[in-house]
Amino acid sequence: MKLKIFYFKEGRLVDKCIGSRIHIVMKNDKEIVGTLLGFDDFVNMVLEDVTEFEITPEGRRITKLDQILLNGNNITMLIPGGEGPEV
Amino acid sequence: MADKEKKKKESIFDLSKYIDKHIRVKFQGGREASGVLKGFDPLLNLVLDGTTEYMRDPDDQYKLTEDTRQLGLVVCRGTSVVLICPQDGMEAIPNPFIQQQDG
């Protein structure tokens, strides 16, 4: 059974998104900015060149390179082309 | 049985009447956002345009104006959405549950 997610506009949005920067907002105070390599039906995401932001302690930054697999369980918002919170 | 199969895929609520309208969305974890609804799917993933996000801080209580930011075009995960309502369909009121203690 094929899970068709984001069929309305995201169908084109995701094509443009893969390979470009995306800003991901989690349910808690964490945000991730990276280059989108791909995602699956559950919107687990593979990103590279990733910067991780904690919003509460005045915008602390943790930069990670290579690739990460981000668990889609806690993702709240996806912002294509976003550069992250202003620090 | 075939009827039951079909009903499983139907949503109990039609969001198409909110398309191109300004709506407010609340998420698990306390985040709130508002924007113009551009798209949605049966899993309640949403596409919002011109999105403003409001964040709730512990000392902030429920003052929304302090921490707002513009996010532009945003995809909201349906798994995280807890409430959707029209933007002008709600207003803040003083707490109706607090009773004045008369000595």
Side-chain angles (χ1 to χ4, degrees):
Chain A
M1 177 180 155
K2 187 180 170 193
L3 268 179
K4 230 179 163 195
I5 316 183
F6 309 138
Y7 72 75
F8 223 74
K9 208 175 188 187
E10 170 72 14
R12 296 164 212 156
L13 206 65
V14 89
D15 292 331
K16 293 180 188 172
C17 231
I18 292 191
S20 61
R21 298 298 276 176
I22 189 168
H23 171 199
I24 299 175
V25 175
M26 315 296 285
K27 287 182 190 175
N28 54 15
D29 290 323
K30 186 164 294 200
E31 309 189 8
I32 304 277
V33 176
T35 304
L36 179 62
L37 295 181
F39 68 97
D40 66 2
D41 284 346
F42 305 100
V43 199
N44 299 310
M45 313 190 86
V46 178
L47 304 161
E48 74 177 355
D49 196 9
V50 170
T51 307
E52 172 185 345
F53 294 84
E54 292 273 357
I55 293 307
T56 331
E58 295 299 326
R60 184 166 28 114
R61 218 181 311 201
I62 308 161
T63 310
K64 297 172 294 199
L65 230 71
D66 287 347
Q67 294 182 7
I68 68 162
L69 170 64
L70 182 63
N71 192 326
N73 221 8
N74 294 300
I75 292 178
T76 291
M77 287 188 272
L78 299 97
I79 308 162
E83 279 310 316
E86 307 289 317
V87 178
Chain B
M1 281 302 161
D3 254 352
K4 231 178 184 175
E5 275 294 322
K6 205 173 180 188
K7 276 204 173 126
K8 220 169 150 183
K9 301 202 176 156
E10 271 177 38
S11 184
I12 59 171
F13 183 73
D14 189 16
L15 274 179
S16 58
K17 63 183 192 179
Y18 283 142
I19 288 275
D20 286 328
K21 302 274 191 310
H22 218 101
I23 58 166
R24 189 178 199 94
V25 185
K26 299 199 188 193
F27 301 102
Q28 283 180 345
R31 290 189 191 267
E32 297 187 32
S34 71
V36 178
L37 182 65
K38 287 298 182 184
F40 63 94
D41 70 0
L43 299 170
L44 217 57
N45 299 309
L46 310 171
V47 179
L48 291 182
D49 200 1
T51 311
T52 306
E53 191 207 340
Y54 313 92
M55 271 183 68
R56 213 170 11 172
D57 293 323
D59 24 297
D60 182 19
Q61 291 262 311
Y62 201 41
K63 276 188 299 186
L64 295 176
T65 39
E66 286 307 314
D67 196 356
T68 71
R69 49 181 183 159
Q70 297 302 318
L71 297 175
L73 186 66
V74 154
V75 176
C76 303
R77 285 291 282 132
T79 52
S80 202
V81 170
V82 297
L83 180 147
I84 298 174
C85 71
Q87 171 75 341
D88 52 5
M90 58 179 268
E91 59 176 285
I93 60 173
N95 194 331
F97 300 108
I98 292 178
Q99 289 174 355
Q100 294 291 345
Q101 300 282 342
D102 286 331

